[in-house]
Amino acid sequence: MTLLHDRDLAHAFDHASGTYDRLTGLNPGYRTDLLRSARRLRLPGDGAGLHLLDLGCGTGASTRALLRAAPRARITAVDASAGMLRRALAKPWPDGVRFLHLSAEELPTAGEGPFDAVFAAYLFRNVSDPDGVLAGVRSLLRPGGRLAVHEYSLGGSPAHRALWTAVCQGVIIPAGTLTGDRALYRHLWRSVLDFDTAPVFTGRLTRAGFTRARALPLAGWQTGITHTFVARNGVAEPAEAAR
């Protein structure tokens, strides 16, 4: 099948936005794993004085995880789907959280930032040019700034591919078909199979100029299927190194 890209993908997310939270709620550990990945940024002082970016925020589940990990931070959350953003904006948020309708590709020229840390959940396998987006993320991060990518990225074993396909064919695609979003959830299935394995994406981060890049596993049925990737934007500044 042909994967969805750019406007077609954003429109598919617009259509699915009304049922998205309900369907992701069927995934055991979905919100717990987002919180675990957000906490892996290891932000000091509950995020006090920091400006954070939630890149590809969707309906706000990743934003909520980032807020729980750093409740004193200022958060800017962006997404390319207007429908997903409407769902996010309908939820209660503190004054330090704001949402913007921008794609990952548009953000570097939008006059936002710099940011002390970036959290990107389920984003990179959905962009046409992941290397370009990583370059944009680096341009928005302060020196020594932190990146955490929470992504479906298979560990490389045939068993991981087989399990992912079984879950998609048995649960995810049928559920999406009932809501009229079969194309989006078939895209989800194929996009994961076609995306970088965890070692390959770690190498992509290093080639993009990030340092200390690591892939960290997540627990439960998603072990070997979903990873947190953590990295830094170059060498930490002296104040950062002293923390």
Side-chain angles (χ1 to χ4, degrees):
M1 63 164 287
T2 301
L3 294 178
L4 300 173
H5 292 291
D6 304 323
R7 289 184 180 179
D8 290 338
L9 183 57
H11 290 158
F13 276 115
D14 289 345
H15 187 272
S17 61
T19 57
Y20 191 80
D21 285 344
R22 188 160 66 249
L23 287 183
T24 57
L26 298 175
N27 180 350
Y30 180 85
R31 287 167 178 77
T32 301
D33 285 344
L34 281 172
L35 178 58
R36 182 173 290 112
S37 289
R39 285 176 170 163
R40 284 171 168 171
L41 283 166
R42 301 180 65 85
L43 299 172
D46 287 338
L50 301 182
H51 188 192
L52 313 181
L53 172 64
D54 182 15
L55 187 59
C57 64
T59 62
S62 55
T63 316
R64 187 71 64 191
L66 193 55
L67 183 61
R68 288 184 63 189
R72 300 174 65 190
R74 181 163 54 100
I75 298 173
T76 296
V78 304
D79 201 273
S81 166
M84 300 290 269
L85 278 177
R86 282 194 294 271
R87 294 289 169 174
L89 286 165
K91 299 170 183 177
W93 301 99
D95 292 341
V97 178
R98 65 180 183 130
F99 292 87
L100 298 175
H101 184 204
L102 290 168
S103 70
E105 293 83 357
E106 294 169 329
L107 186 61
T109 59
E112 297 296 324
F115 298 97
D116 298 286
V118 175
F119 186 45
Y122 304 119
L123 171 79
F124 276 96
R125 63 187 165 74
N126 285 324
V127 299
S128 299
D129 181 12
D131 292 326
V133 172
L134 283 171
V137 168
R138 278 201 71 204
S139 74
L140 293 167
L141 267 174
R142 297 185 190 278
R146 308 177 188 205
L147 171 67
V149 175
H150 177 97
E151 187 57 273
Y152 292 120
S153 178
L154 301 179
S157 165
H160 299 150
R161 294 178 65 87
L163 175 58
W164 175 246
T165 292
V167 170
C168 287
Q169 298 290 347
V171 179
I172 295 174
I173 295 173
T177 301
L178 290 175
T179 64
D181 299 301
R182 179 178 176 83
L184 177 62
Y185 291 100
R186 281 183 57 81
H187 164 88
L188 169 62
W189 166 49
R190 287 302 318 179
S191 68
V192 175
L193 295 180
D194 291 354
F195 188 58
D196 295 348
T197 62
V200 170
F201 189 71
T202 304
R204 189 188 292 273
L205 289 169
T206 300
R207 290 192 302 275
F210 290 92
T211 59
R212 299 166 61 181
R214 293 182 295 152
L216 305 175
L218 290 158
W221 77 270
Q222 294 191 118
T223 300
I225 292 175
T226 309
H227 291 82
T228 316
F229 299 89
V230 293
R232 296 288 185 97
N233 182 22
V235 179
E237 293 179 316
E240 170 67 24
R243 285 175 179 163

